[in-house]
Amino acid sequence: MKKETRKKLEKFLEDRRLVRNSRDIGLIVLEKEREISPKEWRKLDASFSYFLLNNPFEFKKLVNSLIKAQKEDKIFLLEIKADPNDKIIQVLKQICHFGQFNIHDKRGKLINTIKVEPGSIVVIAERDFINKEISYPRFYNIFDTALII
């Protein structure tokens, strides 16, 4: 990872810690494919938890990782490499609007409500992937703060 890119990322992620009074979800848009490897994301800081979404049906794994990151008071970095399904989009929207998300059973009955620490989630995706592969038409509108690198 280039030094300049690393500084921008560190500043953006540090700012995430400071917006802990809002429901903001951050977005990092990568201009070039694989500019930053998963290994490099994990090395940025021990206070981050990294999850790679490369299967749109990994909802349960994603939620479990998010809950673990919340319990450990870590910022959750979610890198999207697969078109997120409706459940994942709904979770992101609920967090942004309400600071929490609901988990339902197969019949739609509410099982649990998970509160999310404000400013604790950052989504990462490549610009071309967002524009060409993500089917949710208002994907960018979910996020309040964005960094393009």
Side-chain angles (χ1 to χ4, degrees), residues 100-103 110-115:
Q100 63 188 28
F101 65 95
N102 297 321
I103 299 176
L110 180 64
I111 297 173
N112 201 355
T113 298
I114 309 294
K115 292 190 186 286

Side-chain angles (χ1 to χ4, degrees), residues 3-149:
K3 189 175 182 178
E4 179 183 327
T5 300
R6 184 177 184 87
K7 282 185 177 185
K8 286 180 182 179
L9 283 171
E10 288 173 346
K11 171 78 171 111
F12 183 78
L13 294 170
E14 182 60 33
D15 290 348
R16 305 300 313 139
R17 289 188 180 102
L18 302 176
V19 296
R20 293 274 261 264
N21 62 354
S22 73
R23 295 185 187 112
D24 178 43
I25 296 177
L27 174 65
I28 296 174
V29 179
L30 302 175
E31 290 288 358
K32 297 176 185 164
E33 184 177 341
R34 297 182 189 244
E35 183 177 333
I36 303 167
S37 71
K39 190 175 184 179
E40 289 175 302
W41 283 115
R42 288 185 184 99
K43 285 182 180 179
L44 269 177
D45 191 321
S47 64
F48 303 119
S49 175
Y50 174 86
F51 185 86
L52 175 62
L53 180 72
N54 54 12
N55 178 339
F57 302 103
E58 291 184 326
F59 179 75
K60 190 173 184 178
K61 285 173 77 174
L62 183 145
V63 168
N64 288 338
S65 294
L66 175 56
I67 291 169
K68 182 179 179 195
Q70 291 292 300
K71 286 180 180 176
E72 296 173 355
D73 196 31
K74 293 183 175 184
I75 290 180
F76 186 68
L77 299 176
L78 169 60
E79 185 165 13
I80 296 179
K81 296 268 187 181
D83 187 11
N85 66 21
D86 291 341
K87 282 175 131 179
I88 294 170
I89 293 292
Q90 288 306 315
V91 164
L92 293 174
K93 288 170 60 177
Q94 287 176 18
I95 291 168
C96 190
H97 294 308
F98 308 112
Q100 63 188 28
F101 65 95
N102 297 321
I103 299 176
H104 298 87
D105 65 14
K106 291 180 182 180
R107 295 183 205 143
K109 182 180 176 187
L110 180 64
I111 297 173
N112 201 355
T113 298
I114 309 294
K115 292 190 186 286
V116 176
E117 197 61 39
S120 65
I121 300 175
V122 175
V123 173
I124 306 154
E126 296 167 13
R127 181 186 298 274
D128 284 345
F129 182 80
I130 294 170
N131 295 337
K132 296 176 183 173
E133 303 295 328
I134 294 184
S135 58
Y136 182 67
R138 294 175 301 281
F139 184 76
Y140 286 108
N141 294 349
I142 296 172
F143 309 97
D144 292 329
T145 309
L147 172 67
I148 300 170
I149 55 172

